């Protein structure tokens, strides 16, 4: 995750797929949740 944070800090967008929701809660992000192939929730977190 530290490598991804450094890449993002340099202005790059990171796209990551995970089933670990606890991991997502640790970092500022825009999270898209999918179910049955469709987006059903978008959450924007900031620092």
């Amino acid at each position: 995750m530290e490598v991804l944070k450094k890449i993002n800090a340099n202005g790059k967008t990171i796209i990551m797929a995970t089933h670990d929701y606890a991991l997502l809660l640790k970092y500022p992000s825009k999270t898209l949740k999918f179910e049955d192939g469709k987006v059903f929730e978008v959450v924007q977190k900031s620092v």
Side-chain angles (χ1 to χ4, degrees):
M1 289 301 296
E2 293 304 315
V3 171
L4 295 177
K5 284 173 50 177
K6 288 179 183 178
I7 292 169
N8 185 245
N10 287 324
K12 302 294 182 187
T13 298
I14 305 298
I15 298 175
M16 181 175 135
T18 183
H19 291 271
D20 186 352
Y21 191 70
L23 178 68
L24 296 177
L25 295 176
K26 295 179 183 179
Y27 299 95
S29 63
K30 183 175 192 176
T31 303
L32 287 78
K33 294 182 183 179
F34 290 83
E35 186 173 292
D36 297 326
K38 297 179 182 173
V39 175
F40 74 93
E41 183 178 1
V42 177
V43 178
Q44 179 71 50
K45 256 180 51 177
S46 59
V47 176

